[in-house]
Amino acid sequence: MNDMKTQNPGSVLLPATPPFLNGCALLIWGWQCDFILYAIGMAVLLESARFIHWRTPITDKEFNRISDLSSVIFMITVVYVFATRSYHGIFTILALLPFLLFLLILAQTWSVQGNIKPGALFISMRRLNPDEPGFNNPGIDLSFPYLMVCIISASAGKQQENLFFIFVIILVAWTLWALRPRHTGKYLWLSLLILSVAISYAGQLGLFRLQELTENTFLQWFEQYMWRSRDPSRTTTAIGSLGKLKLSDRIMVRVDTHGEKLSSPLYLREASYNNYGYGVWTNFQHTLRLIDPLPKGRYWIINDQIAGNDRISISFYMDDQKAIIPVPMGLNSISKVNAIEIEHSPYGALSMELNPGWVKYDAKFNHERIDDAPPGKEELEIPPVYQKELAGLADQLGLERQSPAQKVDTVKKFFADNFVYSLTQTERYPRGKYLSKFIFETRKGHCEYFATATTLLLRAAQIPTRYIVGYAIDEYSPLEGQYIGRARHVHSWVLAYVDNHWQMIDTTPSVWAPLEAMDRSFIEPLVDLWSWISYKLSTWDADDTDSNTSGFYYWLLVPVLLYYLWRMFIKDRVQNIRRRAKDKQMAILLAGTDSAFFQLLPALEARYVPRKPGETLTSWLTKIEKNIQGTELRELLALHYRYRFDPSGLSKDEKQRLEHKVKDQLATLH
Amino acid sequence: MIKKLLFHNFLIVYRASQWIRRHFTHTGMLILAGLVVSAIFGLNIRQTLSYQIFTLLLGILLMSCISVLVFRGKFRFKRVLPEYGTVGQKLEYRILLENLSPKEFNNLTLLDELATDLPSFEHFLKARDIQDKRRNFFDRIVGYPRLVSLIRKTRGGLIQPGKLETISGKDKIQQRITLIPVRRGYLRFATTAIGKCDPFGLFRRFKKYNHQDSLLVLPRLYEFPPINLAGRRKYQHGGVNLASSVGDSEEFISLRDYRPGDPMRSIHWRSYAKKGAPVVREYQDEYFSRLGLVLDTFAGGYTEIVFEEAVSVAASIAVSSLQQDSLLDLMFINNQVYRFTAGRGLAGVNNMLEILACVESAREENINELETLLLQHMNDSSGFICILLAWDKKRQNMIERLRSAGIPLMVYVISMSADSDGFSNMTLPDHPEYFQVLQAGDIEHSLQETHGRNR
């Protein structure tokens, strides 16, 4: 053993990051998330520790306090962001993480220890007894975990995705190179890295495809089973989705115009939004105000400034007890509904509280008089990524020199002349460029593209605008005698503030409805019928006593009547026919069982050898006929077999012959 | 029901975490954590670019795993263990490793593993952990840290993987391994594994070798003050050797005439032949101090922690008392009566510690039997040091009987709580210093307090 070399147990702690790695990660994060100035400062603070050798002793307890302070700041940020941006704020928090953890990494970098105990991060570990056998409490160097936090936080930013991917590869490769085991071959390491990047790239392509599939499947499933009412503070568009947008044929709204034909689509609004960013429209100013019903009851004046000339009855499926309901633009009042509570937003959304299910209400309106809340600065805001391009386009269209009404006409004409409607997107664009590609290159898309682009382009021309979501009702159902709105009729359009009035603008080419209808299922009429029956059944005990559909229920008696008629007159006949058919079958099975030959068997068995179970008559007769002289048993058996199994059976004479001979044989045997 | 479900989930989580800890290096775990976080934030590829990080880290981890798929090394091991270990004290041993193949290997990891028996649900429910009182409410209720602690206890210790930089073809090296035992008794070494790390240093592939051994771990020892019981030396019939019930080499004084009742084996046959009348040998009577170290083994409703602490206290007393010139009888009952004697040339302190390393708590109540045992040996013992697991009526009666018999006593009661109010009805009013309550988990502190008070 003398020639043995001794090796010491190796250190297993994560080392510190190599020089400038964390600094670079911070800069990339700052670039991605628009915090570049802060990022430079933070990077300098961290990296300068490599050149300055001054350090301060920080005890474990002080580290604990710093960690607690970071946690408190984190919690306050989470509460604030969630309060202002709901759960969508999670990505804001993700982008802010390097800020929130900076205090801890800074303290570690400038401390004498250079690492912190796990107790600083996990309160539960602080109270554990370090003297307990087996208690393992190594220090943790936070620099690599912080690096990972910076990289992941940077992904919440909005810059170019290709450049970001390259930066991520550099940072991760730098990390792996710094932490690679000794004796690792450079070329092997490099080739593995290249392969990893290739796999990663292929994986990204796969993920795009997967997301496309998932979104489409989920959208269909969601529409089918989980339809929820509109959120007036946020709506996610399908802008940027690849593949073909598929919407279901499910009937969502029914509109009774009381016999009047619609000359143009009827727009039913659900909500208005004023803030756009990356495929999501939001309205954080929206508030709902409770409307008191008139003393006579079941009548709510929404806006008495509007004279409600038109009246329609709307039926809408409320999934929840409280939901946003579709109402016409320029709404005056809601009536004939036993709502518990109705709330109205100055932005046009109307929330109703009632038992879930189909609800029917009357709406008086004047769609030429839209009296929404006046525009604020939000109605002129354009996301920074589009500002330059849209300003250029507005310039190109000469909008600056035109009056507001002319601007609207120019924009409408621009879309009508240059754009086509399409539900399919085949090309993947860089993030934040979906709309630019639509406006300047592909020029084809669905209503969300048109409405969003129109909203932002008019804003670029200094016309305040809002993005509206609701239904465009155009399809008349002869079955129901009223207009219906399907899930695929969900539409978006624009509200523009022109000459101190809100004006509705829809730049989506009018072919959208027929185009979407082309995708309808061939069983749609059946589904519609079922939907109509379900609707009627569900409104059976509805409170709308005004309904003139009560006669419909008498039709339900028809199947009942038919059933009884069937029972009384047809059922017995059918059963008799069935019984006869069965008897016939039985008769075939039992044919020949009355053969006279069977009378012989007991006597033969008693006289000679008994027949074994399953033994055929032929083999049994072969056994016993040796003892019987001059009998005609063989001939009788042949006749018997013919009588039993021959479909044509025996003639009358043959049958008589069989019976006589059997009798003779019996007499002989006795 | 929920607890059982949680328990089974905990076992799955534990196995998964062990697998990850074994197969991933610290860098690998960092990358794995990054992978999980980026997967969460990258679910919607339109919201963030996390999916790019996710795919890159996934690609790297995949390549890491693939690059170590083939590991064709052949090795031989020999474990060189010390005779004993002690709970809580770091011990070092060596593994002699021989590379049987002509190929040189780099970036290897040596992982020596103790056998790990996962506890049953019933065992988990009954288990108590001394660290529990330091844990937060959630951890205490849910119990995962307790389960981990229980598994660690059952296993007996944790051995960190050792790094081997290089081993040449047909070469031998020795690796020093450090182990801190966390429980007494036999630790079972099950396997030795040698792992090859991928070029990124993230993932390890192991070759496992069955390599069984065992190591006796002695109980944890506390520094105990000397115990001076007010006893006196007692006559020991048959002398020291008979005190241990072995052998008959007594110290000879003279010959005398046979008296009825003398044992046959005392007859001196040569003198009998010469004299014609029976003559017997006479021996020196033995007087010396002989203490009984009484260990209460019936934990009953009390926890295992208390029993473990009692064993440690017994071991500590054995070590401190055997330095004095006396005999020490370790007495306890577990299915049968055990009485081991050490000191004055008989068994040494190590033998007694070995016994204490393996003593187990009794399932059935045995205080009455213990009392009988003590009363039986009362006459040849100078005093009893009793280590009790509780201070209930039966134990109080036992101590009272011994006290009224006039035998010097030192009573230690191991308690889970520091509160001594429950011990106000102690039965040693004349010598309160001979009754001590020691708090489980904080024995040293309790001893210091008592020592300070007595001074």
Side-chain angles (χ1 to χ4, degrees):
Chain A
M1 288 305 298
N2 290 338
D3 58 334
M4 283 185 185
K5 291 155 268 181
T6 303
Q7 295 190 358
N8 291 324
S11 165
V12 289
L13 284 175
L14 210 56
T17 46
F20 309 116
L21 180 56
N22 266 353
C24 288
L26 274 169
L27 291 181
I28 290 168
W29 161 74
W31 163 73
Q32 269 284 103
C33 299
D34 293 336
F35 296 133
I36 190 68
L37 284 178
Y38 299 103
I40 291 170
M42 289 157 78
V44 168
L45 278 173
L46 284 190
E47 295 301 336
S48 56
R50 308 216 181 251
F51 308 103
I52 301 167
H53 297 292
W54 173 86
R55 294 288 185 274
T56 178
I58 300 179
T59 61
D60 288 348
K61 274 194 173 174
E62 284 166 332
F63 267 124
N64 292 352
R65 283 193 202 122
I66 294 168
S67 171
D68 292 345
L69 179 64
S70 299
S71 304
V72 169
I73 296 171
F74 179 78
M75 289 311 294
I76 291 171
T77 314
V78 168
V79 170
Y80 176 76
V81 173
F82 271 75
T84 52
R85 308 207 56 187
S86 177
Y87 60 90
H88 316 299
I90 191 164
F91 297 106
T92 313
I93 293 165
L94 178 66
L96 292 175
L97 274 180
F99 278 130
L100 303 174
L101 298 175
F102 186 66
L103 210 55
L104 211 52
I105 184 79
L106 191 70
Q108 181 201 279
T109 309
W110 290 95
S111 69
V112 173
Q113 296 91 320
N115 59 54
I116 64 168
K117 295 285 178 212
L121 302 175
F122 307 105
I123 295 174
S124 57
M125 291 189 75
R126 286 184 197 167
R127 297 180 64 200
L128 296 184
N129 183 8
D131 300 331
E132 186 69 11
F135 182 78
N136 202 8
N137 196 24
I140 299 175
D141 190 314
L142 283 183
S143 48
F144 269 113
Y146 189 73
L147 168 84
M148 196 54 87
V149 167
C150 287
I151 296 175
I152 294 175
S153 295
S155 73
K158 299 153 185 171
Q159 302 299 329
Q160 287 182 24
E161 53 185 21
N162 291 340
L163 204 54
F164 177 72
F165 186 47
I166 293 167
F167 283 141
V168 171
I169 292 171
I170 293 170
L171 288 179
V172 172
W174 194 346
T175 305
L176 291 178
W177 181 255
L179 293 175
R180 78 190 187 284
R182 284 166 69 186
H183 310 291
T184 298
K186 284 177 199 167
Y187 297 110
L188 177 65
W189 186 90
L190 192 66
S191 30
L192 280 181
L193 184 72
I194 291 167
L195 277 172
S196 305
V197 173
I199 290 175
S200 163
Y201 189 71
Q204 284 179 33
L205 295 180
L207 275 183
F208 296 151
R209 181 81 188 125
L210 187 68
Q211 171 116 3
E212 179 193 322
L213 275 173
T214 314
E215 276 182 356
N216 280 338
T217 314
F218 183 74
L219 204 65
Q220 281 180 23
W221 176 81
F222 184 80
E223 275 186 0
Q224 200 72 33
Y225 303 105
M226 298 280 290
W227 186 269
R228 289 283 179 272
S229 68
R230 180 76 58 191
D231 179 359
S233 59
R234 186 180 195 274
T235 183
T236 305
T237 68
I239 292 176
S241 291
L242 287 179
K244 188 164 187 175
L245 194 66
K246 286 175 193 157
L247 292 166
S248 82
D249 299 328
R250 185 182 169 192
I251 296 172
M252 310 300 296
V253 193
R254 294 182 158 87
V255 179
D256 188 354
T257 53
H258 306 290
E260 281 184 34
K261 289 275 171 202
L262 291 176
S263 53
S264 58
L266 173 71
Y267 291 86
L268 297 182
R269 166 167 60 184
E270 285 188 306
S272 311
Y273 306 92
N274 52 11
N275 198 342
Y276 179 70
Y278 296 97
V280 179
W281 276 100
T282 49
N283 183 351
F284 293 114
Q285 286 80 36
H286 125 95
T287 47
L288 289 167
R289 185 171 53 85
L290 186 69
I291 309 282
D292 291 324
L294 289 186
K296 63 178 179 178
R298 305 216 310 155
Y299 204 96
W300 287 262
I301 300 283
I302 308 299
N303 192 336
D304 52 7
Q305 303 295 315
I306 301 171
N309 303 327
D310 301 317
R311 189 174 78 89
I312 52 170
S313 299
I314 304 170
S315 299
F316 177 67
Y317 188 80
M318 295 229 329
D319 203 68
D320 210 344
Q321 207 168 12
K322 198 169 187 179
I324 297 292
I325 56 167
V327 287
M329 308 287 285
L331 183 68
N332 161 259
S333 62
I334 290 286
S335 61
K336 296 187 180 172
V337 59
N338 282 346
I340 300 166
E341 210 171 86
I342 286 187
E343 289 173 314
H344 179 239
S345 154
Y347 288 84
L350 200 81
S351 159
M352 186 186 281
E353 191 178 337
L354 194 60
N355 287 334
W358 279 99
V359 54
K360 192 173 178 184
Y361 48 92
D362 274 14
K364 275 189 181 174
F365 66 101
N366 181 356
H367 67 267
E368 285 171 359
R369 175 100 166 76
I370 301 165
D371 198 21
D372 282 9
K377 62 176 174 43
E378 292 82 13
E379 276 74 10
L380 282 170
E381 268 176 16
I382 302 171
V385 283
Y386 300 122
Q387 276 172 6
K388 208 173 160 186
E389 290 168 338
L390 288 175
L393 180 62
D395 216 24
Q396 198 184 324
L397 295 174
L399 298 179
E400 215 174 293
R401 298 177 296 279
Q402 297 174 357
S403 69
Q406 283 173 328
K407 286 176 185 174
V408 170
D409 289 340
T410 312
V411 169
K412 275 184 180 173
K413 193 169 177 323
F414 170 67
F415 281 105
D417 293 348
N418 303 298
F419 289 74
V420 288
Y421 187 81
S422 168
L423 282 168
T424 312
Q425 289 294 324
T426 49
E427 200 184 335
R428 186 178 165 75
Y429 313 136
R431 276 167 54 80
K433 292 287 173 190
Y434 305 127
L435 267 185
S436 306
K437 286 279 172 183
F438 167 71
I439 296 170
F440 298 103
E441 289 180 30
T442 62
R443 297 202 160 174
K444 58 178 186 182
H446 54 268
C447 60
E448 289 172 337
Y449 280 96
F450 280 95
T452 304
T454 310
T455 311
L456 299 183
L457 182 58
L458 284 172
R459 284 182 185 184
Q462 295 307 308
I463 292 183
T465 48
R466 282 183 192 145
Y467 175 87
I468 314 292
V469 171
Y471 292 88
I473 307 292
D474 198 24
E475 185 180 339
Y476 183 76
S477 165
L479 170 75
E480 302 191 15
Q482 59 185 347
Y483 286 88
I484 51 171
R486 301 177 187 278
R488 63 177 149 84
H489 291 149
V490 171
H491 192 53
S492 48
W493 60 94
V494 183
L495 214 53
Y497 199 67
V498 182
D499 298 330
N500 295 327
H501 285 102
W502 285 109
Q503 182 185 329
M504 213 174 74
I505 299 167
D506 187 3
T507 51
T508 309
S510 55
V511 293
W512 74 270
L515 268 179
E516 286 186 5
M518 279 167 68
D519 279 345
R520 70 180 160 205
S521 162
F522 69 96
I523 54 161
E524 192 191 86
L526 284 178
V527 177
D528 284 357
L529 179 65
W530 175 245
S531 167
W532 174 233
I533 292 168
S534 317
Y535 165 65
K536 281 298 173 188
L537 284 175
S538 67
T539 53
W540 183 289
D541 57 352
D543 296 319
D544 52 340
T545 47
D546 164 77
S547 170
N548 56 4
T549 53
S550 51
F552 168 82
Y553 302 116
Y554 295 119
W555 288 100
L556 287 176
L557 294 174
V558 173
V560 179
L561 200 65
L562 288 174
Y563 175 71
Y564 275 103
L565 284 173
W566 178 79
R567 271 192 75 90
M568 284 170 71
F569 301 107
I570 301 169
K571 188 184 162 196
D572 283 349
R573 269 179 59 195
V574 170
Q575 281 183 348
N576 284 341
I577 292 165
R578 281 183 190 157
R579 199 178 297 132
R580 278 200 291 275
K582 206 174 171 185
D583 289 350
K584 203 174 173 183
Q585 258 183 341
M586 282 301 289
I588 292 168
L589 280 175
L590 298 172
T593 45
D594 58 341
S595 167
F597 188 80
F598 286 119
Q599 296 166 18
L600 259 180
L601 296 183
L604 286 171
E605 279 184 326
R607 186 86 178 255
Y608 306 108
V609 186
R611 185 179 159 212
K612 286 179 186 167
E615 192 173 15
T616 61
L617 285 170
T618 314
S619 59
W620 178 59
L621 278 184
T622 315
K623 268 200 295 192
I624 63 170
E625 68 187 351
K626 292 178 269 183
N627 310 320
I628 310 166
Q629 295 298 318
T631 58
E632 299 166 316
L633 280 177
R634 281 274 166 192
E635 189 197 340
L636 285 180
L637 183 64
L639 279 173
H640 166 73
Y641 274 159
R642 274 186 58 207
Y643 181 58
R644 185 93 173 82
F645 305 113
D646 190 346
S648 51
L650 294 180
S651 66
K652 212 172 177 181
D653 292 345
E654 283 170 326
K655 198 177 170 190
Q656 275 178 355
R657 192 150 59 92
L658 175 68
E659 282 166 2
H660 287 306
K661 291 213 170 186
V662 165
K663 270 182 191 165
D664 293 347
Q665 283 293 330
L666 277 173
T668 321
L669 286 169
H670 291 301
Chain B
M1 178 70 188
I2 292 173
K3 274 200 169 179
K4 198 165 190 174
L5 192 74
L6 274 176
F7 171 73
H8 288 295
N9 280 314
F10 285 164
L11 289 186
I12 294 169
V13 170
Y14 179 79
R15 283 197 194 101
S17 72
Q18 286 303 104
W19 191 89
I20 289 171
R21 275 163 201 261
R22 195 180 299 128
H23 287 86
F24 285 90
T25 61
H26 283 85
T27 319
M29 281 198 254
L30 178 77
I31 298 286
L32 195 66
L35 182 83
V36 172
V37 176
S38 59
I40 293 167
F41 286 107
L43 267 179
N44 185 350
I45 61 174
R46 288 199 291 143
Q47 281 286 358
T48 68
L49 297 176
S50 284
Y51 71 94
Q52 294 188 341
I53 302 167
F54 170 75
T55 52
L56 182 66
L57 299 185
L58 186 68
I60 286 168
L61 281 178
L62 268 177
M63 288 318 299
S64 292
C65 297
I66 291 168
S67 65
V68 287
L69 271 182
V70 181
F71 179 23
R72 288 216 180 93
K74 249 188 156 184
F75 301 91
R76 186 187 291 151
F77 303 91
K78 191 179 175 198
R79 198 182 280 122
V80 184
L81 291 169
E83 200 176 349
Y84 303 114
T86 304
V87 173
Q89 291 194 4
K90 193 196 280 187
L91 72 88
E92 209 169 69
Y93 65 94
R94 289 173 301 148
I95 287 189
L96 312 178
L97 169 68
E98 189 179 352
N99 181 4
L100 299 175
S101 65
K103 201 182 162 193
E104 181 183 288
F105 289 101
N106 301 314
N107 305 330
L108 295 180
T109 305
L110 187 68
L111 186 60
D112 205 22
E113 286 185 309
L114 291 165
T116 306
D117 299 322
L118 296 179
S120 65
F121 178 58
E122 288 70 29
H123 189 186
F124 169 66
L125 280 186
K126 281 181 195 160
R128 296 286 175 273
D129 188 10
I130 199 83
Q131 294 273 26
D132 244 5
K133 61 187 173 190
R134 297 173 190 268
R135 293 194 177 106
N136 61 40
F137 176 75
F138 181 78
D139 283 351
R140 269 204 305 272
I141 292 293
V142 171
Y144 182 70
R146 190 166 68 246
L147 176 72
V148 174
S149 173
L150 180 63
I151 294 172
R152 197 186 296 150
K153 272 242 163 84
T154 319
R155 189 173 47 212
L158 179 68
I159 306 168
Q160 291 292 349
K163 264 189 185 174
L164 299 167
E165 296 294 349
T166 307
I167 179 164
S168 313
K170 303 283 182 190
D171 196 9
K172 291 175 185 172
I173 57 168
Q174 62 176 349
Q175 174 83 5
R176 281 208 303 271
I177 308 268
T178 311
L179 162 70
I180 301 176
V182 295
R183 66 157 172 84
R184 65 193 170 81
Y186 281 98
L187 299 192
R188 288 182 297 119
F189 289 86
T191 56
T192 302
I194 189 145
K196 185 188 169 192
C197 200
D198 73 288
F200 288 138
L202 308 178
F203 188 78
R204 294 185 284 233
R205 169 138 197 259
F206 281 98
K207 254 180 185 295
K208 254 187 187 182
Y209 294 85
N210 261 344
H211 188 200
Q212 294 179 354
D213 263 318
S214 62
L215 171 71
L216 184 63
V217 176
L218 305 177
R220 186 177 196 172
L221 296 176
Y222 298 109
E223 202 176 318
F224 244 76
I227 299 165
N228 295 314
L229 284 180
R232 53 201 170 88
R233 294 191 300 166
K234 286 282 179 95
Y235 162 66
Q236 304 294 325
H237 177 73
V240 177
N241 294 310
L242 274 189
S244 60
S245 307
V246 179
D248 57 357
S249 58
E250 301 142 332
E251 194 173 335
F252 176 75
I253 301 174
S254 61
L255 294 171
R256 62 166 172 80
D257 288 343
Y258 174 80
R259 287 197 290 258
D262 282 337
M264 281 284 281
R265 62 179 181 161
S266 302
I267 294 172
H268 193 255
W269 294 103
R270 267 193 255 167
S271 304
Y272 185 10
K274 215 185 277 177
K275 202 178 167 188
V279 174
V280 294
R281 287 170 291 203
E282 203 171 31
Y283 299 96
Q284 172 68 51
D285 287 342
E286 289 282 348
Y287 287 87
F288 46 81
S289 170
R290 181 171 189 170
L291 286 175
L293 178 59
V294 182
L295 176 64
D296 177 5
T297 53
F298 177 60
Y302 311 100
T303 64
E304 200 67 13
I305 304 164
V306 173
F307 178 67
E308 286 303 317
E309 288 288 32
V311 173
S312 288
V313 167
S316 311
I317 292 171
V319 170
S320 67
S321 300
L322 273 175
Q323 289 162 357
Q324 299 160 23
D325 188 23
S326 62
L327 286 179
L328 188 69
D329 292 321
L330 170 66
M331 290 187 264
F332 61 87
I333 293 175
N334 190 355
N335 296 331
Q336 64 177 81
V337 172
Y338 292 92
R339 186 168 181 250
F340 300 99
T341 308
R344 290 182 60 129
L346 293 172
V349 68
N350 279 359
N351 301 80
M352 194 158 273
L353 290 179
E354 276 178 37
I355 293 159
L356 282 168
C358 301
V359 66
E360 286 181 5
S361 62
R363 287 170 194 271
E364 285 166 19
E365 206 231 351
N366 55 22
I367 302 300
N368 290 341
E369 291 168 56
L370 186 66
E371 188 183 330
T372 315
L373 173 72
L374 296 187
L375 291 173
Q376 197 182 331
H377 291 287
M378 197 173 64
N379 290 334
D380 53 7
S381 293
S382 314
F384 288 128
I385 302 166
C386 301
I387 301 155
L388 303 180
L389 305 182
W391 189 237
D392 54 9
K393 202 71 200 162
K394 278 196 168 176
R395 287 173 172 94
Q396 285 173 25
N397 289 342
M398 178 180 78
I399 295 297
E400 181 55 37
R401 253 175 236 131
L402 289 169
R403 198 180 71 86
S404 50
I407 187 151
L409 288 172
M410 175 75 218
V411 178
Y412 291 105
V413 180
I414 316 293
S415 159
M416 276 304 283
S417 69
D419 182 18
S420 58
D421 288 353
F423 305 96
S424 53
N425 55 345
M426 52 172 278
T427 55
L428 305 173
D430 41 349
H431 293 291
E433 69 273 21
Y434 290 142
F435 183 92
Q436 280 188 24
V437 179
L438 303 175
Q439 193 196 345
D442 207 7
I443 299 283
E444 273 162 345
H445 185 240
S446 303
L447 281 172
Q448 274 169 9
E449 259 189 3
T450 320
H451 195 56
R453 203 167 50 229
N454 288 348
R455 272 197 298 185

